[in-house]
């Protein structure tokens, strides 16, 4: 995706996508390796890979277990016992936040779900997870960094 795309009569600047994505993940206390999430295309590819593993092993599988099952994301080892579905929820929310900031507006749960669906992410558990943990996409939620511990297995 180019740094500036014309959309709806305004300029979207995706040059800071990773910066915004990493910032949101850090606020949640989670790692965001650049080689997995360095731009929107990489991030969506990483989401697809995580989603496939979760479909195969279930929503209770941990990131540590996925690493043992062959997920090529060694830098996620620090997430360890966190449920992979929880991490994936944070990634999807952070993609929506970063996209919203690149487009120059905020993000609501509806926009997160719309963005996920638009990019082919239709996990049946996602809406309930986002509703349960609004800190994923809403910077106004106090103690956002505690999300990581709330999603532990």
């Amino acid at each position: 995706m180019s740094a500036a795309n014309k959309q709806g009569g305004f300029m979207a600047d995706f040059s800071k996508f990773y910066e915004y994505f990493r910032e949101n993940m850090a606020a949640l206390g989670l790692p965001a390796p650049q080689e997995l999430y360095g731009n929107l295309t990489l991030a969506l590819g990483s989401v697809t890979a995580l989603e496939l593993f979760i479909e195969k092993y279930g929503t209770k599988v941990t990131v540590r277990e996925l690493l043992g099952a062959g997920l090529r994301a060694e830098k996620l080892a620090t997430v360890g016992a966190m449920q992979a579905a929880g991490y994936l929820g944070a990634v999807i929310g952070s993609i929506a936040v970063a996209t919203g900031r690149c487009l120059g507006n905020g993000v609501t749960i509806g926009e997160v779900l719309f963005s996920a669906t638009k990019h082919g992410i239709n996990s049946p558990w996602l809406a309930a997870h986002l509703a349960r943990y609004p800190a994923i996409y809403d910077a106004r939620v106090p103690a956002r960094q505690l999300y990581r511990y709330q999603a532990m297995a």
Side-chain angles (χ1 to χ4, degrees), residues 12-63:
D13 182 2
F14 281 84
S15 64
K16 292 188 176 185
F17 174 85
Y18 177 69
E19 178 183 331
Y20 297 146
F21 178 87
R22 183 179 41 78
E23 181 181 287
N24 197 70
M25 290 293 283
L28 297 170
L30 297 169
Q34 188 167 4
E35 57 271 15
L36 295 177
Y37 309 110
N39 59 51
L40 181 58
T41 303
L42 279 173
L44 292 172
S46 297
V47 164
T48 301
L50 281 168
E51 188 175 34
L52 290 173
F53 272 96
I54 291 169
E55 285 178 15
K56 182 174 182 178
Y57 297 106
T59 58
K60 299 294 183 190
V61 68
T62 66
V63 173

Side-chain angles (χ1 to χ4, degrees), residues 9 17 29 37 42 49 58-59 61 66 72 79 86 88 98 104 106 110 129 134 149:
F17 174 85
Y37 309 110
L42 279 173
T59 58
V61 68
L66 290 186
R72 294 197 170 273
V79 179
L88 180 58
H129 188 81
Y149 302 104

Side-chain angles (χ1 to χ4, degrees), residues 61-120:
V61 68
T62 66
V63 173
R64 182 177 296 139
E65 291 167 331
L66 290 186
L67 292 172
L71 179 65
R72 294 197 170 273
E74 291 78 17
K75 289 191 176 185
L76 297 181
T78 59
V79 179
M82 182 178 190
Q83 289 180 354
Y87 183 77
L88 180 58
V91 169
I92 292 169
S94 296
I95 288 171
V97 167
T99 301
R101 289 183 69 187
C102 289
L103 294 172
N105 57 11
V107 176
T108 66
I109 189 171
E111 291 167 326
V112 174
L113 291 171
F114 175 79
S115 178
T117 301
K118 178 180 169 187
H119 294 293

